[in-house]
Amino acid sequence: MPRALVIEDDEVTARDIVAELSAHGLTAEWVANGRDGLTRALADGYDIITLDRMLPGMDGIDIVSALRERRIDTPVLMISALSDVDERVRGLRAGGDDYLTKPFSPDELAARAEVLLRRRRPAANETRLRVADLELDLVRHNALRGGQPLTLLPTEFRLLEFLMRNAGQVVTRQMIFEHVWGFHFDPGTNVIDVHIGRLRRKIDGTGQVPLIRTVRGSGYLLAPAD
């Protein structure tokens, strides 16, 4: 069972995180201050760490920097009420793998944790991805559906790679924005809808079993037909 370390000084938030991760099959341990959190994290026995940005004793940025300096590569999901782009970029450049702003949806927390856990598995480093009869070659940079080549624009290729790496998992619009376009998230734009529409027309063509699904109110899912 995967182990999670929750470094969070707010007890209510911490209990919510522990409960959500536990509900998704993780064993979660909570630490309430930065120095104790770093001590636990340095043991490197965890599969994922959720890390509050502002902590007593030691700042979240200093914690993740210390982990990376010691070559500990445990995925770190940074959580903070500081939502501006500069702060998010600072956290990622320090060594964080993802950044979630407060307040957040428990479902999104779980989804982001699952994505980070999946990335750490050896399969995340494969150069060829496959879902049903859809194939993506990351070295040759080509895509096939049912053995037939697909012509994808660079952004469409990145979007499809993200969906395929997380096949069977609902990914939110914000997650897609952050992993495909970067962290300049504008909730009012329809850029994702446009690109998903184009990708659907190329992948789920006439006579093909649809692979890309819209999960109303949540995001998108790429998965074989039931």
Side-chain angles (χ1 to χ4, degrees):
M1 184 176 291
R3 296 179 64 212
L5 177 63
V6 178
I7 308 176
E8 169 65 58
D9 64 327
D10 181 77
E11 182 174 354
V12 173
T13 301
R15 292 191 183 281
D16 287 344
I17 294 172
V18 168
E20 187 65 23
L21 295 179
S22 299
H24 284 78
L26 285 77
T27 298
E29 302 172 19
W30 170 39
V31 179
N33 68 79
R35 293 197 180 279
D36 290 345
L38 178 60
T39 299
R40 291 272 197 98
L42 286 173
D44 197 24
Y46 297 96
D47 297 287
I48 187 170
I49 297 169
T50 70
L51 176 62
D52 189 23
R53 169 69 174 78
M54 302 176 71
L55 291 161
M58 192 173 190
D59 183 79
I61 294 288
D62 294 333
I63 292 173
V64 72
S65 297
L67 291 176
R68 300 313 184 220
E69 287 171 4
R70 291 164 174 78
R71 300 187 182 278
I72 293 176
D73 63 354
T74 307
V76 174
L77 172 57
M78 303 196 72
I79 300 176
S80 177
L82 302 174
S83 60
D84 62 89
V85 172
D86 288 344
E87 282 295 336
R88 297 164 81 178
V89 169
R90 186 181 173 204
L92 293 170
R93 284 180 173 165
D97 296 277
D98 200 354
Y99 199 108
L100 184 61
T101 57
K102 299 178 182 179
F104 54 83
S105 160
D107 286 342
E108 182 166 6
L109 168 76
R112 287 176 181 267
E114 288 171 3
V115 166
L116 292 179
L117 286 169
R118 192 177 297 115
R119 277 191 207 159
R120 203 183 194 201
R121 296 170 191 158
N125 296 320
E126 291 181 357
T127 59
R128 185 182 290 273
L129 305 177
R130 185 181 182 98
V131 177
D133 61 346
L134 177 64
E135 297 179 62
L136 199 67
D137 190 321
L138 304 178
V139 174
R140 296 179 179 177
H141 210 76
N142 59 31
L144 302 172
R145 176 82 198 266
Q148 298 301 311
L150 303 172
T151 302
L152 301 179
L153 297 173
T155 302
E156 293 168 348
F157 191 93
R158 293 196 304 272
L159 175 57
L160 181 58
E161 179 186 352
F162 182 67
L163 292 173
M164 292 183 73
R165 285 197 182 279
N166 297 287
Q169 170 68 43
V170 176
V171 290
T172 67
R173 295 177 79 253
Q174 183 166 341
M175 290 168 69
I176 294 173
F177 256 114
E178 293 172 358
H179 287 88
V180 178
W181 278 270
F183 277 80
H184 299 284
F185 176 62
D186 178 2
T189 184
N190 69 342
V191 66
I192 289 180
D193 305 312
V194 170
H195 280 80
I196 288 286
R198 289 176 179 168
L199 201 54
R200 273 192 173 124
R201 287 192 290 274
K202 293 181 178 182
I203 292 172
D204 298 338
T206 303
Q208 296 278 15
V209 176
L211 295 178
I212 301 175
R213 311 177 196 177
T214 300
V215 181
R216 193 172 300 278
S218 297
Y220 299 95
L221 168 72
L222 187 143
D226 296 331

